[in-house]
Amino acid sequence: MSTGMLIAIIVPIAVVLILLAVATWYLIQRRRLQERFGPEYDRTVQRSKSRFAAERELHSREQRHDQLDIKPLPDAMRDRYVKDWTQVQRQFVDRPGEAVQQADRLVTVLMHERGYPTEGYEQKVRDLSVEHGRTLEHFRAAHAVNEHIRDHDATTEELRGAMVHYRELFDDLLGDGHRGSASGRR
């Protein structure tokens, strides 16, 4: 067999193998993003011009997150937050709107304590999405109700739901992104 004929056989095979490797790498990266971001992956894809643009956005969130100094809480501080949450829940009976607003503030303080920037709602969502994508919908739902409180048109049931939603994110933040019973519920 001549050298030219060998090259004519080897080059197309090499090109196909390279293309397969690139496609496999891309699929692995996509799956990694889907697993890491959970429902936030699908939400970002739906809101983007393309899947590629959405994945680029999620990757940039990861890069920003890697620059943050996110830290776990010492046990004593975690216990203090659990007590603070219990106080907020107790206030719900008499002042549900205020309790929801306090829950929002407590979640924001906890985020800050862990090392998350707390400037602006949208940036909070993007920063939380990297490690807390599975509870992010709870944060969005609670935030929406909190906005209704300012307009004085949130029902008691919506306020109760907001407390449940804030508790989900609170537990997730308190547990360093791992599911647990941080606020005392199982």
Side-chain angles (χ1 to χ4, degrees), residues 141-157:
H143 178 77
V145 172
N146 203 8
E147 293 294 311
H148 287 260
I149 291 171
R150 293 183 190 130
D151 300 333
H152 302 292
D153 64 346
T155 67
T156 303
E157 186 58 27

Side-chain angles (χ1 to χ4, degrees), residues 2-68:
S2 72
T3 305
M5 192 175 260
L6 280 175
I7 290 174
I9 293 171
I10 293 174
V11 168
I13 291 174
V15 168
V16 167
L17 290 175
I18 290 170
L19 289 174
L20 284 172
V22 168
T24 301
W25 177 84
Y26 182 74
L27 290 173
I28 289 170
Q29 291 302 312
R30 176 178 289 168
R31 181 160 292 148
R32 184 188 64 77
L33 287 172
Q34 288 171 329
E35 288 173 4
R36 181 163 200 186
F37 285 91
E40 185 65 11
Y41 176 89
D42 294 328
R43 182 181 180 85
T44 305
V45 168
Q46 288 173 351
R47 297 179 81 196
S48 294
K49 296 178 232 173
S50 69
R51 183 177 298 273
F52 182 73
E55 289 174 352
R56 193 171 51 236
E57 159 68 18
L58 294 173
H59 182 66
S60 73
R61 291 182 194 184
E62 285 180 318
Q63 289 176 326
R64 175 181 159 89
H65 187 273
D66 289 346
Q67 301 301 311
L68 301 176

Side-chain angles (χ1 to χ4, degrees), residues 26-161:
Y26 182 74
L27 290 173
I28 289 170
Q29 291 302 312
R30 176 178 289 168
R31 181 160 292 148
R32 184 188 64 77
L33 287 172
Q34 288 171 329
E35 288 173 4
R36 181 163 200 186
F37 285 91
E40 185 65 11
Y41 176 89
D42 294 328
R43 182 181 180 85
T44 305
V45 168
Q46 288 173 351
R47 297 179 81 196
S48 294
K49 296 178 232 173
S50 69
R51 183 177 298 273
F52 182 73
E55 289 174 352
R56 193 171 51 236
E57 159 68 18
L58 294 173
H59 182 66
S60 73
R61 291 182 194 184
E62 285 180 318
Q63 289 176 326
R64 175 181 159 89
H65 187 273
D66 289 346
Q67 301 301 311
L68 301 176
D69 184 24
I70 307 299
K71 53 197 170 289
L73 295 174
D75 289 340
M77 191 171 287
R78 184 180 315 239
D79 292 343
R80 190 193 84 210
Y81 276 105
V82 169
K83 288 177 187 170
D84 290 348
W85 181 260
T86 302
Q87 282 301 110
V88 169
Q89 282 184 295
R90 284 186 186 135
Q91 291 178 8
F92 183 81
V93 173
D94 295 323
R95 297 184 311 270
E98 288 178 35
V100 169
Q101 290 175 327
Q102 285 185 338
D104 179 69
R105 285 190 291 276
L106 185 58
V107 164
T108 300
V109 169
L110 177 56
M111 285 175 60
H112 179 73
E113 192 78 46
R114 292 280 321 276
Y116 287 97
T118 56
E119 75 277 352
Y121 170 72
E122 287 301 324
Q123 188 60 55
K124 283 191 231 182
V125 168
R126 284 190 294 275
D127 290 338
L128 286 171
S129 70
V130 178
E131 293 295 328
H132 304 279
R134 301 206 184 284
T135 54
L136 207 51
E137 280 306 309
H138 290 286
F139 184 53
R140 283 190 177 99
H143 178 77
V145 172
N146 203 8
E147 293 294 311
H148 287 260
I149 291 171
R150 293 183 190 130
D151 300 333
H152 302 292
D153 64 346
T155 67
T156 303
E157 186 58 27
E158 288 172 326
L159 296 171
R160 187 198 67 73

